[in-house]
Amino acid sequence: MTENNQNSNGISAVGVLKKTVDRNYRLRRISSMLLDHFLICILIIPPAIILTILSENIGLKMNDGMGFFAFFIMVFVYLNKDFFKGKSPAKRILGYRVINRKTEKPATELQCFVRNLTICVAWPLEVVIGFINPDRRIGDFIANTKVVESEKEKLKSIWTDLKSTTLKINFIGILIIGGIYFYGLSRI
């Protein structure tokens, strides 16, 4: 190992960070929130850049409705990151799940969507609240959910869940609420 990867005691900096985060539940929850933000942004931002480049270079004229729809789809993906079994990509990797506080079962798709609505308007505050109260952030209080430890899963388990998903009434509710929510945000 090089000197950059190892301190004088032979312990890698990454190993020390991992042990610190593993032992501290608050840091694990915050790292989960930040990892989710990073992963979802990687999923959303490249298509947005490609769409912008295409619209500029090939003369594709996007009217306000098309731009709003493209923005709506990208943010809709972000707000539904916990859609499958109450587990976002980072929650799968780090071993968390969003559950309904009353039933102790995985939160419904609608609850997961509602809990993430606050991210658009209060993301930094959500991180602070998440550090103070790792089980529940502002969105969890609104949706009556909480985050609990769960089994860790591989990221590819999302594809398995996606294939086994059927259209439910919750999904239609999410589309309606999301449309109204983003229409309201676009008017601000």
Side-chain angles (χ1 to χ4, degrees), residues 5 24 31 34 41 57 107 119 154 164-165 167 169 174 177:
N5 294 335
N24 190 321
S31 64
L34 295 175
C41 284
N57 289 336
I119 290 174
K154 297 210 182 277
S164 66
T165 298
L167 184 63
I169 194 73
I174 290 168
I177 292 169

Side-chain angles (χ1 to χ4, degrees), residues 22-34:
D22 284 347
R23 279 186 274 153
N24 190 321
Y25 182 69
R26 290 177 199 276
L27 289 178
R28 284 180 56 210
R29 273 295 292 131
I30 296 302
S31 64
S32 171
M33 291 173 77
L34 295 175

Side-chain angles (χ1 to χ4, degrees), residues 37 40-41 44 74-81 116 119 123:
H37 183 69
I40 300 298
C41 284
I44 292 173
M74 289 182 277
V75 176
F76 186 77
V77 169
Y78 190 96
L79 294 179
N80 285 292
K81 66 186 188 311
N116 289 326
I119 290 174
W123 194 83

Side-chain angles (χ1 to χ4, degrees), residues 53-118:
I53 291 170
L54 286 176
S55 68
E56 292 295 321
N57 289 336
I58 65 171
L60 175 67
K61 298 294 180 195
M62 288 182 53
N63 62 28
D64 288 340
M66 286 176 56
F68 174 74
F69 183 73
F71 174 76
F72 174 77
I73 294 296
M74 289 182 277
V75 176
F76 186 77
V77 169
Y78 190 96
L79 294 179
N80 285 292
K81 66 186 188 311
D82 304 314
F83 194 80
F84 300 111
K85 298 181 182 176
K87 289 186 162 194
S88 64
K91 285 180 186 70
R92 289 172 189 272
I93 294 167
L94 297 173
Y96 293 108
R97 171 175 271 156
V98 180
I99 64 167
N100 182 318
R101 281 193 59 226
K102 288 182 182 177
T103 65
E104 297 286 319
K105 292 182 180 176
T108 66
E109 294 88 355
L110 186 57
Q111 282 180 302
C112 290
F113 177 72
V114 168
R115 79 182 282 274
N116 289 326
L117 287 175
T118 57

Side-chain angles (χ1 to χ4, degrees), residues 94-172:
L94 297 173
Y96 293 108
R97 171 175 271 156
V98 180
I99 64 167
N100 182 318
R101 281 193 59 226
K102 288 182 182 177
T103 65
E104 297 286 319
K105 292 182 180 176
T108 66
E109 294 88 355
L110 186 57
Q111 282 180 302
C112 290
F113 177 72
V114 168
R115 79 182 282 274
N116 289 326
L117 287 175
T118 57
I119 290 174
C120 290
V121 293
W123 194 83
L125 184 58
E126 287 283 27
V127 173
V128 171
I129 299 296
F131 188 76
I132 294 168
N133 183 0
D135 295 335
R136 299 184 78 199
R137 57 179 179 77
I138 298 167
D140 290 307
F141 286 100
I142 295 169
N144 200 26
T145 57
K146 68 179 180 178
V147 175
V148 297
E149 292 191 47
S150 179
E151 71 279 352
K152 293 181 181 181
E153 296 180 18
K154 297 210 182 277
L155 204 49
K156 66 182 179 181
S157 66
I158 293 173
W159 299 119
T160 305
D161 292 344
L162 181 61
K163 287 188 249 178
S164 66
T165 298
T166 58
L167 184 63
K168 298 178 185 176
I169 194 73
N170 279 348
F171 186 69
I172 295 167

